[in-house]
Amino acid sequence: QFPRQCATVESLRSGMCCPDYFPVFGPGTDRCGVSTGRGRCVQVTVDWRPHGPQYIHDGRDDREQWPIRFFNQTCRCSGNFSGYNCGSCRPGWSGPTCSQRINIVRRNLLDLNAEERRRFVNALHQAKVTIHPDIVIATRRREEIFGPDGNTPQFENISIYNYFVWAHYYSVRKTFLGTGQQSFGGVDFSHEGPAFVTWHRYHLLQLERDMQNMLQDPTFGLPYWNFATGQNTCDICLDDLMGARSNFDVSLISQNSIFSQWRVLCESVEDYETLGTICNSTEGGPIRRNPAGNVARPMVQRLPEPEDVAQCLEVGVFDTPPFYSNSTDSFRNTVEGYSDPSGKYDPAVRSLHNLAHLFLNGTGGQTHLSPNDPIFVLLHTFTDAVFDEWLRRYSADISTYPLENAPIGHNRQYNMVPFWPPVTNNEMFVTAPENLGYSYEVEWPGRALHVTEMITIAIVTALVLVAIIFAAAACIVRVKKNKDELHQPLLTDQYQHYSDDYDGIATPSQSVV
Ligand SMILES: O=C1C=c2cc(C(=O)O)[nH]c2=CC1=O
């Protein structure tokens, strides 16, 4: 969450987190790369607009008005420079002066060849075991951040992948209200509100960036898992991808996969909640996963259908009041999976993103733990691809993204917790290829017809057919009539002729011969 340089007593006391880019003349001489025009140290901007009614403990949580409980000065970078000391480039830009455009392609995991699969799995594992070069995590609340002696900042190193796990945990953790009091759970800075899509987008961008730096490969892109193929199996649970099922324990990963060796972070959630501590970088047990194995909840033993994605993309309004998990006709609540795929809110429904999580039935299905299972990355890149397609189709219409009264953390201008330097939800509400330097290689399913549409089409078709039959019948009658009329004058002539010849009443036999 914070740069290592800022995890000091001085930095915390001053509230300033503006590390040097290149301290030529000693510490503090090139804050934010000011000497080369990369950026400068400025006051942090926070969103003071009111949040929604779900959170009732204002003043009790370090995540309110993020990040000013910790720091009120940060780097603001110029042009395409970015990062905690303006030492890197904004997404979509690269090169020493951040002037070269780049585009990273995020591909379907199943389309990777054997070598690409091996490289991706190895890269994830390297991220799991490599200490984050820049970031450390707080292991105590602000109140206790200086440690028992008041002089020992409570921060820890953490690996690149575990930071990804920790950031998600920190955004969903309950509010500690004091020893002996129940922690407050009606708070979630990354789910059940409009920031669901923007928060997870930035979360992935940050992991992708960290992995690019680790691999020294600026073209590295995170793949995605299309969880809505219409098959109710985990098709990426193979030993050369996310790991097959163990033959010895249905809820473990096969030992042929490196992921069977991964250990889970942030397991002791009850301890954190009762003691008021924060998850640290200590790992616990193995990843648990039992796809489609939740016999007690048959509803989550299936995955979404392609049609569900198509329907969700038809919901044209980004979000609707109360901007929460009970919003109806909201694209965000539909892709998050609290509404049915057509957008109608139904408390009994789990669809799309939520359904994919619950289908995993284990570590990946519990919000405080889910990123420990690497499937999380791929599930969320696909969810982000759906969001990006929505942004493209509806010209990134932000008008229904609320500026105020969204659940805490979810207002449009709120800085997303616990990212550093501060970044707002607003900044992620842009089409990715043009603004963030990545795109998805994906084909979207066409929408099947609704029953009402099918009935309308059937009625119109029937009416057209009836009209054609009537027109044809009228034609036949007319042709027949014309034919009859053609014969009529001959008979009339004959009558005329006979009457001329016989000058009296012709017998019937005479008249027809
Ligand atoms: O990790 C997650 C797990 C989830 C479970 C649900 C649910 O709908 O019950 N939602 C989830 C979101 C997650 O991010």
Side-chain angles (χ1 to χ4, degrees):
Q1 69 186 343
F2 300 122
R4 191 168 285 105
Q5 292 93 320
C6 299
T8 64
V9 173
E10 303 73 50
S11 205
L12 285 161
R13 292 239 157 93
S14 69
M16 182 197 283
C17 180
C18 293
D20 291 309
Y21 170 62
F22 187 58
V24 210
F25 303 112
T29 56
D30 189 31
R31 293 189 186 284
C32 314
V34 68
S35 67
T36 45
R38 285 179 165 258
R40 60 199 176 87
C41 191
V42 299
Q43 208 65 24
V44 167
T45 308
V46 295
D47 174 47
W48 290 98
R49 291 183 174 92
H51 58 72
Q54 302 83 5
Y55 181 66
I56 48 174
H57 295 291
D58 288 280
R60 308 290 291 276
D61 196 309
D62 293 343
R63 298 169 293 182
E64 296 168 22
Q65 281 91 34
W66 184 258
I68 57 163
R69 295 285 157 85
F70 292 91
F71 298 105
N72 56 22
Q73 288 182 76
T74 181
C75 288
R76 180 177 299 150
C77 308
S78 325
N80 293 330
F81 295 116
S82 180
Y84 71 92
N85 63 353
C86 301
S88 54
C89 302
R90 273 181 31 203
W93 297 92
S94 76
T97 56
C98 300
S99 51
Q100 282 161 242
R101 266 209 161 276
I102 48 163
N103 180 48
I104 284 139
V105 180
R106 293 183 177 176
R107 298 167 58 203
N108 187 329
L109 182 67
L110 291 175
D111 289 343
L112 305 191
N113 64 32
E115 175 57 15
E116 290 167 333
R117 290 176 181 207
R118 194 190 60 77
R119 271 195 269 135
F120 176 61
V121 168
N122 285 351
L124 280 176
H125 187 63
Q126 195 181 336
K128 180 76 176 173
V129 297
T130 304
I131 295 293
H132 200 296
D134 309 321
I135 297 289
V136 290
I137 54 158
T139 57
R140 288 290 182 278
R141 287 170 295 114
R142 180 65 178 83
E143 210 180 314
E144 302 178 344
I145 200 73
F146 290 114
D149 64 357
N151 214 17
T152 314
Q154 302 291 293
F155 289 92
E156 269 184 12
N157 278 320
I158 191 159
S159 79
I160 290 169
Y161 194 87
N162 283 352
Y163 174 55
F164 180 72
V165 176
W166 184 93
H168 193 261
Y169 149 81
Y170 192 83
S171 74
V172 303
R173 65 184 286 263
K174 293 184 180 177
T175 301
F176 182 67
L177 296 175
T179 313
Q181 297 212 52
Q182 191 133 51
S183 291
F184 176 70
V187 59
D188 187 328
F189 287 74
S190 56
H191 303 84
E192 301 185 57
F196 165 71
V197 281
T198 48
W199 191 96
H200 285 88
R201 166 167 280 201
Y202 188 77
H203 191 220
L204 292 167
L205 258 180
Q206 175 216 255
L207 176 69
E208 191 170 63
R209 170 63 58 93
D210 288 345
M211 291 180 72
Q212 287 164 355
N213 292 339
M214 175 191 78
L215 298 166
Q216 300 198 342
D217 175 6
T219 68
F220 170 80
L222 296 170
Y224 65 85
W225 170 39
N226 181 351
F227 54 68
T229 60
Q231 303 165 36
N232 292 321
T233 55
C234 178
D235 53 1
I236 57 168
C237 293
L238 307 170
D239 277 334
D240 67 340
L241 292 174
M242 295 298 105
R245 197 191 286 275
S246 159
N247 289 328
F248 305 105
D249 183 334
V250 285
S251 72
L252 285 180
I253 298 174
S254 139
Q255 289 186 348
N256 298 327
S257 163
I258 190 73
F259 300 120
S260 65
Q261 293 173 28
W262 280 30
R263 291 294 172 266
V264 165
L265 205 71
C266 306
E267 260 182 348
S268 310
V269 71
E270 289 83 14
D271 288 354
Y272 318 139
E273 285 166 14
T274 50
L275 302 173
T277 53
I278 293 177
C279 160
N280 58 27
S281 51
T282 310
E283 295 181 337
I287 296 168
R288 296 263 162 201
R289 190 195 291 160
N290 183 5
N294 192 344
V295 285
R297 275 183 89 180
M299 285 252 301
V300 301
Q301 287 196 293
R302 53 172 282 266
L303 280 169
E305 303 281 329
E307 170 65 10
D308 298 345
V309 173
Q311 271 192 292
C312 164
L313 283 167
E314 297 278 309
V315 182
V317 175
F318 176 68
D319 215 342
T320 56
F323 308 108
Y324 193 44
S325 45
N326 56 353
S327 289
T328 202
D329 299 325
S330 145
F331 164 75
R332 188 274 312 158
N333 209 34
T334 308
V335 73
E336 188 169 359
Y338 289 107
S339 293
D340 79 19
S342 73
K344 293 284 163 286
Y345 170 65
D346 176 349
V349 159
R350 285 295 182 273
S351 69
L352 293 160
H353 151 268
N354 278 342
L355 184 54
H357 269 293
L358 296 173
F359 174 84
L360 295 177
N361 187 29
T363 307
Q366 301 167 65
T367 313
H368 65 286
L369 290 178
S370 50
N372 279 293
D373 187 330
I375 290 181
F376 178 101
V377 175
L378 306 149
L379 185 164
H380 271 280
T381 39
F382 186 67
T383 308
D384 183 61
V386 178
F387 174 42
D388 205 56
E389 178 63 10
W390 185 92
L391 288 168
R392 194 189 64 76
R393 287 193 194 181
Y394 301 96
S395 311
D397 178 7
I398 201 169
S399 59
T400 58
Y401 193 124
L403 278 161
E404 55 188 35
N405 296 326
I408 189 164
H410 292 256
N411 281 352
R412 201 196 289 184
Q413 303 285 10
Y414 207 96
N415 294 318
M416 293 181 273
V417 176
F419 302 124
W420 187 272
V423 51
T424 61
N425 290 306
N426 193 41
E427 292 173 68
M428 291 295 112
F429 202 94
V430 288
T431 49
E434 295 81 9
N435 302 285
L436 300 172
Y438 68 86
S439 54
Y440 289 97
E441 201 179 75
V442 61
E443 251 179 52
W444 296 106
R447 190 172 66 82
L449 297 175
H450 294 298
V451 176
T452 46
E453 288 168 329
M454 284 197 258
I455 292 170
T456 311
I457 289 172
I459 291 171
V460 170
T461 312
L463 287 175
V464 168
L465 277 176
V466 168
I468 290 170
I469 290 165
F470 267 101
C475 262
I476 291 166
V477 168
R478 181 158 300 163
V479 168
K480 194 162 182 300
K481 201 171 159 216
N482 283 349
K483 263 192 189 159
D484 290 349
E485 278 170 4
L486 277 173
H487 290 145
Q488 197 78 14
L490 286 174
L491 292 172
T492 316
D493 285 353
Q494 261 182 339
Y495 280 123
Q496 188 69 48
H497 176 75
Y498 288 132
S499 55
D500 292 348
D501 279 359
Y502 293 99
D503 203 20
I505 298 165
T507 63
S509 58
Q510 282 174 326
S511 66
V512 293
V513 174

